[in-house]
Amino acid sequence: MSWRRYCATAEDTKIAGEEFAAVLRAGDVVLLSGRLGNGKTTFTQGVARGLGVSERVTSPTFTMVRQHRCANEAGITTLHHADVYRVESLEEVRDLALGELVEESAVAIVEWGEIASSVFGRDVMNVDFLLDEDEGRTLEVSGALTNERTASLDEWASR
């Protein structure tokens, strides 16, 4: 099963991310997939805003992983934002130890998640970004974790 949400602008994408934060629970891993420039970092900025991150969130393309402190009622204290675009092998993804970073009070968002999907197994949420010719994007959410979040994803997709 999957959920879709259309975002006509970058701000819509950020708002979709902010509202997606309400779907997340501590320990979640979210894999973002889509072409370069499709809105993965913009969406993550929205998620960060929704989780109460006060600092600026930028793509961690060269640092690979950035940690951000969160302040929210969901008990999520850390957002790990990873970008595996520049990795050259699955072994490099394993060396990042992203799975170990997601302790009980954290969530991880991994840009270019299709590269890292085998490291995390099935217990993830996937968000695919599909750009149209009008520069809008459709976000499609799927994955094993969505089975536990049907009601909140229904609400998210209906906005």
Side-chain angles (χ1 to χ4, degrees):
M1 184 170 206
S2 65
W3 289 261
R4 289 177 173 242
R5 180 163 169 172
Y6 182 76
C7 301
T9 66
E11 185 58 28
D12 290 345
T13 304
K14 195 174 283 188
I15 291 167
E18 184 174 5
E19 293 172 354
F20 187 78
V23 174
L24 298 174
R25 303 290 174 264
D28 285 353
V29 174
V30 181
L31 305 179
L32 309 182
S33 300
R35 299 180 73 129
L36 194 62
N38 278 17
K40 295 179 294 294
T41 300
T42 301
F43 178 82
T44 303
Q45 289 168 339
V47 171
R49 187 165 61 188
L51 291 175
V53 172
S54 59
E55 63 196 14
R56 186 170 177 246
V57 174
T58 59
S59 178
T61 300
F62 295 102
T63 58
M64 300 265 198
V65 181
R66 290 193 175 147
Q67 290 82 27
H68 302 280
R69 286 204 166 303
C70 303
N72 56 72
E73 295 179 13
I76 298 169
T77 60
T78 308
L79 168 63
H80 299 287
H81 179 200
D83 184 330
V84 296
Y85 179 71
R86 297 202 180 277
V87 300
E88 295 183 11
S89 70
L90 198 52
E91 192 59 37
E92 283 185 68
V93 175
R94 283 190 189 97
D95 288 345
L96 293 174
L98 295 172
E100 296 170 21
L101 291 175
V102 184
E103 69 276 359
E104 292 181 13
S105 61
V107 297
I109 295 184
V110 182
E111 294 190 36
W112 302 97
E114 65 275 15
I115 296 169
S117 62
S118 65
V119 171
F120 295 106
R122 294 179 34 82
D123 290 331
V124 299
M125 275 191 267
N126 300 294
V127 182
D128 294 315
F129 293 72
L130 307 165
L131 198 64
D132 65 22
E133 63 269 357
D134 296 324
E135 299 292 319
R137 61 206 34 85
T138 298
L139 311 181
E140 183 173 4
V141 178
S142 62
L145 283 181
T146 62
N147 297 333
E148 305 166 11
R149 318 283 168 77
T150 302
S152 55
L153 283 165
D154 285 345
E155 183 179 332
W156 175 81
S158 69
R159 295 182 180 189

